[in-house]
Amino acid sequence: QVQLVQSGAEVKKPGASVKVSCKASGYSFNGYYIHWVRQAPGQGLEWMGRINPNSGGTNYARKFQGRVTMSRDTSISTAYMELSRLNSDDTAVYYCARAGCRIVTGTCYSDYWGQGTLVSVSS
Amino acid sequence: DIVMTQSPDSLAVSLGERATINCKSSQSVFYSSNNKNYLAWYQQRPGQPPNLLIYWASTRESGVPDRFSGSGSGTDFTLTISSLQAEDVAVYYCQQYYSTPFTFGPGTRVDIK
């Protein structure tokens, strides 16, 4: 069965960086985009970007460009999201999610989600 | 960027009654070449990740109860829960995946009256 397992909670100081991992299993990792979505406490869902695990190509939301780096290690079926220059507004649960269609078929919804990783930014 | 709006912000419905949530996109998310609307609905219960309910505006995800249905095209969409159950208490989000960034609506909270 498809599973996405994320790394554990992080506490960071303002100005620091955080790197969250998302280990995929139960399907062909290279065949499906991985999306990253975050949710601040009590707030809605915010799409951050996506990575094509096959090519490594990325699309980032304009808001995060210059601060976010999405990467992958295909040998261990793991995607990563690194966010730099953290501030208190970055306190949120960060989710990875798999696209529901193969990359070759185009853009798609997200069908499987990780459990979420809480990143807290505080001095 | 495509802006997604939802109405109402919240609603309370009696058990067994119908709940209707509306979602509007700032531009069409209908792709004429394949006749598909690039619109999904998710349910999020407290402390849980989102759960896919509906995709392509009206296709129910496997395992989702048939009391959930999606309709609409172009810029206006609706999620209907035909007979509200206690386990349906959650926040519901629409999302467009027509073009990046794949924006979400602000969410609609559904409670029991």
Side-chain angles (χ1 to χ4, degrees), chain A residues 4-46:
Chain A
L4 299 174
V5 178
Q6 299 183 222
S7 48
E10 303 262 13
V11 179
K12 295 292 182 182
K13 295 249 190 278
S17 298
V18 69
K19 191 170 186 177
V20 179
S21 67
C22 171
K23 182 167 179 59
S25 61
Y27 72 99
S28 173
F29 179 68
N30 283 10
Y32 299 79
Y33 279 105
I34 291 287
H35 297 261
W36 289 90
V37 174
R38 78 176 185 179
Q39 186 170 39
Q43 302 302 307
L45 302 169
E46 182 173 30

Side-chain angles (χ1 to χ4, degrees), chain B residues 2-101:
Chain B
I2 297 177
V3 176
M4 307 299 291
T5 56
Q6 289 182 231
S7 62
D9 294 336
S10 64
L11 74 161
V13 175
S14 300
L15 289 172
E17 294 301 304
R18 179 186 299 262
T20 301
I21 300 169
N22 299 301
C23 172
K24 191 174 182 69
S25 56
S26 62
Q27 64 189 75
S28 176
V29 298
F30 177 73
Y31 196 32
S32 56
S33 65
N34 61 6
N35 204 37
K36 288 184 175 180
N37 287 283
Y38 284 57
L39 191 284
W41 289 96
Y42 301 89
Q43 174 194 64
Q44 188 178 33
R45 297 187 177 107
Q48 298 293 315
N51 179 48
L52 176 68
L53 296 176
I54 303 285
Y55 56 94
W56 303 127
S58 60
T59 302
R60 196 179 305 112
E61 172 70 333
S62 175
V64 172
D66 61 7
R67 63 180 180 272
F68 291 93
S69 63
S71 62
S73 185
T75 61
D76 292 279
F77 301 91
T78 300
L79 175 70
T80 301
I81 310 173
S82 61
S83 176
L84 192 76
Q85 306 299 303
E87 60 266 31
D88 301 335
V89 170
V91 179
Y92 293 83
Y93 296 94
C94 60
Q95 181 198 27
Q96 66 79 20
Y97 47 96
Y98 181 87
S99 65
T100 59

Side-chain angles (χ1 to χ4, degrees), chain A residues 75-93:
Chain A
S75 69
I76 55 171
S77 299
T78 299
Y80 303 92
M81 187 285 300
E82 183 170 22
L83 191 62
S84 63
R85 304 193 303 277
L86 293 168
N87 60 66
S88 58
D89 291 340
D90 295 315
T91 294
V93 175

Side-chain angles (χ1 to χ4, degrees), chain A residues 49-106:
Chain A
R50 66 176 179 177
I51 183 168
N52 177 334
N54 188 48
S55 67
T58 54
N59 299 101
Y60 300 143
R62 197 175 4 245
K63 173 177 179 176
F64 300 102
Q65 280 185 356
R67 271 209 311 144
V68 70
T69 304
M70 295 177 187
S71 59
R72 91 290 188 216
D73 183 340
T74 56
S75 69
I76 55 171
S77 299
T78 299
Y80 303 92
M81 187 285 300
E82 183 170 22
L83 191 62
S84 63
R85 304 193 303 277
L86 293 168
N87 60 66
S88 58
D89 291 340
D90 295 315
T91 294
V93 175
Y94 290 76
Y95 294 102
C96 62
R98 190 195 81 155
C101 316
R102 288 196 159 272
I103 292 170
V104 292
T105 63

